[in-house]
Amino acid sequence: MRIGELSERTGASRRALRYYEEQGLLVPDRLPNGYRDYGERSVTAVRRIRVLLSAGLNSALVAEILPCLADDTVVLTGSCPELLAGLAAERRRLTAAIDDLLAARTVLDSLVGLPLAPAGEGRSAA
């Protein structure tokens, strides 16, 4: 299939598909005229890539993970146990970032909850 059809079937833009190719995440065949020719497996590959990227993983880590995925799922097979420690570290990093964002939201919530001073009365700068 051509890049336009793959884009339609996966929801990934043509630009994203070209980026995946540049990063070595997606390897289409080339027709004699130079056009990209994607096989049916590319649909599954793009869906996997998008899920992994949406999890906050960078393209280098996605490239390591893709060969270790089972069938049409995004579940690691037992053939790549060395990735588990790195993924656990990435999960800890995301958890810390979430905790920081929740703390920031709590501060903003408390600021929003403060009553406004009546018009004409200044607030002291803190």
Side-chain angles (χ1 to χ4, degrees), residues 6-18:
L6 182 61
S7 174
E8 288 175 19
R9 290 186 57 190
T10 62
S13 69
R14 292 173 188 212
R15 183 177 177 199
L17 295 173
R18 289 185 195 101

Side-chain angles (χ1 to χ4, degrees), residues 16 18-26 48-50 52-67 83 90:
R18 289 185 195 101
Y19 172 78
Y20 300 160
E21 184 180 350
E22 288 171 12
Q23 298 300 307
L25 304 176
L26 190 61
R48 288 176 176 171
I49 291 165
R50 294 186 73 187
L52 294 168
L53 291 173
S54 72
L57 304 176
N58 63 44
S59 58
L61 189 51
V62 170
E64 288 183 53
I65 293 171
L66 284 174
L83 290 177
E90 184 63 19

Side-chain angles (χ1 to χ4, degrees), residues 1-124:
M1 78 187 80
R2 302 263 302 272
I3 195 168
E5 182 180 347
L6 182 61
S7 174
E8 288 175 19
R9 290 186 57 190
T10 62
S13 69
R14 292 173 188 212
R15 183 177 177 199
L17 295 173
R18 289 185 195 101
Y19 172 78
Y20 300 160
E21 184 180 350
E22 288 171 12
Q23 298 300 307
L25 304 176
L26 190 61
V27 183
D29 292 328
R30 289 286 184 163
L31 298 175
N33 60 6
Y35 289 170
R36 293 168 177 87
D37 183 38
Y38 297 94
E40 192 61 36
R41 297 183 64 133
S42 295
V43 174
T44 301
V46 169
R47 289 182 180 145
R48 288 176 176 171
I49 291 165
R50 294 186 73 187
V51 166
L52 294 168
L53 291 173
S54 72
L57 304 176
N58 63 44
S59 58
L61 189 51
V62 170
E64 288 183 53
I65 293 171
L66 284 174
C68 301
L69 297 177
D71 302 329
D72 290 341
T73 65
V74 186
V75 176
L76 290 177
T77 65
S79 63
C80 300
E82 69 279 2
L83 290 177
L84 294 179
L87 291 172
E90 184 63 19
R91 186 180 189 287
R92 287 191 298 275
R93 185 193 67 77
L94 287 173
T95 298
I98 290 167
D99 291 344
D100 290 345
L101 287 170
L102 289 172
R105 185 177 69 182
T106 298
V107 170
L108 288 174
D109 287 348
S110 68
L111 291 172
V112 170
L114 292 175
L116 296 176
E121 292 183 20
R123 287 194 176 172
S124 61

